[in-house]
């Protein structure tokens, strides 16, 4: 049985793999690798598979990266996998380098998003170089969506043949789980406020998710329409890409901005079910799972015109697409979403079916399994 090592930078990202591992174990010897974390150990116990904790630093750190690379080389030499499949930027760079050095036959990297499009100067060039090295060391490359694919090709990151699997996305949506089941609606009752229109954001509370613009737009909206509220679901990242001090004070002090923190499972679904509109003004994405999840829960969405989001949301059909970093456009979209009931109702009606047709989890998994069979021959 051929051995596969699937790798991510941090253990929280192993959620990308949950669901498909059971299918992979029918054909392959599967192992997991990431920085140490409870999720890595939990996945190992859940599927009774071997795991490898290797510390990988998300930010640029040559000394730490060399140390990580040496550890990865030792793991690959010892385990002798037939394929290493990495996801997330730093795991891609280090694992593809280590797999190339140890002559792993199949070296696959999935680009879930690109960091450099929103950077400038030397940092942009350095980040582009790391992606070029990742591609040079890989034997196969999967961009998570057409936007990521186009960026890789147009900016000459790689000349290798690359293709999007299915309609894109790495994980797919479990449509049974992401549904308005009775237990979810019951939980949502404690969150819902029938007197106020509710916008919800789900994601990391960082600058690149458009939180600065979202706070400013909501404050303007609330001044004219006080029966509105904004719920933020996610975690702050103070060291990596923090929001502005003004936005932080707004979140802390505004009476109708509710910070829910990071929630999971049915509690997260209850926040979707309690909202009227999902808003996601991110600067850059690969293929945002939260936009898929909100659609599966029947929410119309406001998203920015970026990779991934524009591939999920069709203008006027299941949401609206606005320019990135544009407070005025975001404000106008929020006003229309709240006041134009017929427009919003049409998009809410379409939202779930459009996700079902293109991103249902079983379909996404079949696309990857078929690709594995193709490249593992």
């Amino acid at each position: 049985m051929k051995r596969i090592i699937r790798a991510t930078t941090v253990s929280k990202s192993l959620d990308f793999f949950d669901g498909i591992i059971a299918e992979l174990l029918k054909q392959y010897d599967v192992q997991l690798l990431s920085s140490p974390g409870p999720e890595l150990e939990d996945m190992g116990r859940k599927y009774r598979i071997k795991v490898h904790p290797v510390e990988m630093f998300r930010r640029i750190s040559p000394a730490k990266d060399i140390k990580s690379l040496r550890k990865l080389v030792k793991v690959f030499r010892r385990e002798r996998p037939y394929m290493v499949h990495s996801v997330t930027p730093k795991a891609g760079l280090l694992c593809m380098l280590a797999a190339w050095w140890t002559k792993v036959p199949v070296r696959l990297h999935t680009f879930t998003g690109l960091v450099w499009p929103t950077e400038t100067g030397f940092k942009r060039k350095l980040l582009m170089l790391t992606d070029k090295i990742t591609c040079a060391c890989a034997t196969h490359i999967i961009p998570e969506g057409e936007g990521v694919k186009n960026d890789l090709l147009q900016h000459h990151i790689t000349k290798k043949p690359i293709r999007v699997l299915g309609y894109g996305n790495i994980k797919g949506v479990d449509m049974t789980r992401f549904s308005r089941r009775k237990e979810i609606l019951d939980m949502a009752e404690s969150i819902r406020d029938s007197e106020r229109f509710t916008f919800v954001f789900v994601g990391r509370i960082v600058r690149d998710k458009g939180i600065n613009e979202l706070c400013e737009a909501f404050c303007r909206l609330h001044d004219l329409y006080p029966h509105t509220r904004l719920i933020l679901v996610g975690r702050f990242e103070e060291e990596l890409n923090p929001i502005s001090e003004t936005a932080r004070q707004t979140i802390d002090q505004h009476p109708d901005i509710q910070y829910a923190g990071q929630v999971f499972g049915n509690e997260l679904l209850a926040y979707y079910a309690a909202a009227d509109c999902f808003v996601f003004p991110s600067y850059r994405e690969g293929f945002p799972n939260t936009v898929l999840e909100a659609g599966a829960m029947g929410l119309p969405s406001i998203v920015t015109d970026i990779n991934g989001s524009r591939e999920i949301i069709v203008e006027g059909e299941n949401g609206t697409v606005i320019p990135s970093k544009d407070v005025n456009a975001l404000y106008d979209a929020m006003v229309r979403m709240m006041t134009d009931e017929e427009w919003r109702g049409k998009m809410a009606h379409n939202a779930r079916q459009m996700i079902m047709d293109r991103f249902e989890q079983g379909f996404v998994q079949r696309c990857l399994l078929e690709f594995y069979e193709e490249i593992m021959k």
Side-chain angles (χ1 to χ4, degrees):
M1 187 176 285
K2 292 178 178 177
R3 177 168 295 161
I4 297 172
I5 295 180
R6 300 198 68 176
T8 64
T9 308
V10 297
S11 62
K12 286 183 173 65
S13 299
L14 290 170
D15 183 62
F16 284 133
F17 306 154
D18 200 8
I20 197 172
I21 292 179
E23 290 299 316
L24 290 174
L25 286 171
K26 296 176 183 178
Q27 303 179 60
Y28 308 106
D29 172 13
V30 181
Q31 300 181 3
L32 297 179
L33 184 152
S34 76
S35 294
E39 296 84 0
L40 179 63
E41 302 303 324
D42 290 346
M43 292 276 276
R45 285 191 293 268
K46 178 178 180 180
Y47 294 104
R48 298 180 181 179
I49 57 178
K50 191 170 185 178
V51 299
H52 305 282
V54 177
E55 190 70 53
M56 288 177 277
F57 196 57
R58 289 173 65 187
R59 301 173 76 173
I60 299 170
S61 177
K64 292 181 179 180
D65 291 345
I66 290 172
K67 184 178 179 180
S68 300
L69 185 61
R70 288 173 176 168
K71 291 181 178 179
L72 290 168
V73 167
K74 289 181 180 179
V75 171
F76 296 161
R77 280 179 173 163
R78 182 177 68 245
E79 300 298 331
R80 299 177 63 83
Y82 190 81
M83 177 170 76
V84 172
H85 182 182
S86 58
V87 179
T88 66
K90 185 57 73 73
L93 174 65
L94 297 178
C95 288
M96 290 299 98
L97 269 168
W100 170 80
W101 185 261
T102 55
K103 296 181 172 58
V104 174
V106 179
R107 307 181 295 275
L108 171 62
H109 179 66
T110 296
F111 279 96
T112 54
L114 302 172
V115 180
W116 47 264
T118 57
E119 298 292 346
T120 58
F122 175 75
K123 187 175 181 180
R124 176 185 172 94
K125 292 179 180 179
L126 180 60
L127 291 169
M128 292 177 73
L129 176 61
T130 62
D131 281 351
K132 288 180 180 180
I133 293 171
T134 299
C135 291
C137 293
T139 58
H140 300 82
I141 302 158
I142 302 174
E144 195 177 13
E146 292 294 335
V148 175
K149 174 184 173 181
N150 292 338
D151 281 345
L152 290 172
L153 295 176
Q154 291 173 6
H155 290 85
H156 310 292
I157 302 300
T158 183
K159 295 181 180 179
K160 292 180 178 177
I162 58 177
R163 76 172 190 252
V164 176
L165 304 184
Y167 292 94
N169 191 237
I170 187 174
K171 184 180 177 183
V173 182
D174 182 342
M175 300 300 291
T176 300
R177 179 187 168 212
F178 285 90
S179 62
R180 291 176 175 260
R181 293 168 278 127
K182 183 179 183 304
E183 61 267 33
I184 302 302
L185 295 177
D186 289 344
M187 291 179 65
E189 281 301 316
S190 63
I191 305 170
R192 184 179 294 109
D193 186 341
S194 59
E195 299 298 321
R196 293 185 291 177
F197 188 96
T198 300
F199 294 94
V200 66
F201 166 92
V202 179
R204 292 179 296 118
I205 312 299
V206 295
R207 179 181 61 86
D208 280 5
K209 295 296 183 184
I211 299 299
N212 294 342
E213 290 82 2
L214 179 55
C215 288
E216 183 178 344
F218 178 77
C219 288
R220 287 173 54 186
L221 177 76
H222 192 269
D223 287 343
L224 289 178
Y225 302 94
H227 298 300
T228 57
R229 66 172 177 163
L230 170 64
I231 299 177
L232 302 175
V233 180
R235 70 180 188 276
F236 285 95
E237 291 192 358
E238 304 293 354
E239 295 183 2
L240 190 66
N241 198 231
I243 62 175
S244 69
E245 186 60 34
T246 299
R248 184 59 189 260
Q249 290 177 0
T250 299
I251 294 170
D252 291 341
Q253 298 172 9
H254 198 291
D256 284 318
I257 295 181
Q258 177 184 343
Y259 173 59
Q262 194 169 16
V263 299
F264 304 95
N266 286 351
E267 186 180 359
L268 172 60
L269 304 190
Y271 277 101
Y272 285 126
D276 298 292
C277 173
F278 182 70
V279 57
F280 194 71
S282 182
Y283 298 173
R284 60 176 178 84
E285 295 291 328
F287 218 96
N289 285 306
T290 56
V291 179
L292 294 171
E293 293 168 0
M297 293 298 292
L299 284 179
S301 295
I302 299 171
V303 302
T304 41
D305 190 12
I306 58 172
N307 290 345
S309 291
R310 71 168 75 96
E311 296 165 59
I312 301 168
I313 300 302
V314 178
E315 176 62 42
E317 294 297 319
N318 59 343
T320 187
V321 183
I322 63 171
S324 178
K325 304 180 183 179
D326 190 329
V327 174
N328 292 330
L330 179 56
Y331 167 79
D332 290 341
M334 294 173 77
V335 169
R336 186 179 180 189
M337 192 68 74
M338 186 184 65
T339 58
D340 192 336
E341 293 185 13
E342 182 178 354
W343 186 62
R344 184 180 73 251
K346 171 193 171 184
M347 295 187 293
H349 176 76
N350 294 337
R352 179 172 171 83
Q353 190 61 47
M354 291 181 71
I355 300 302
M356 172 72 82
D357 291 344
R358 298 179 291 162
F359 305 109
E360 186 272 326
Q361 189 173 73
F363 170 73
V364 172
Q365 291 180 355
R366 284 195 301 275
C367 290
L368 182 60
L369 289 169
E370 290 170 2
F371 186 70
Y372 271 21
E373 290 176 9
E374 176 185 329
I375 65 176
M376 294 282 274
K377 290 179 181 178

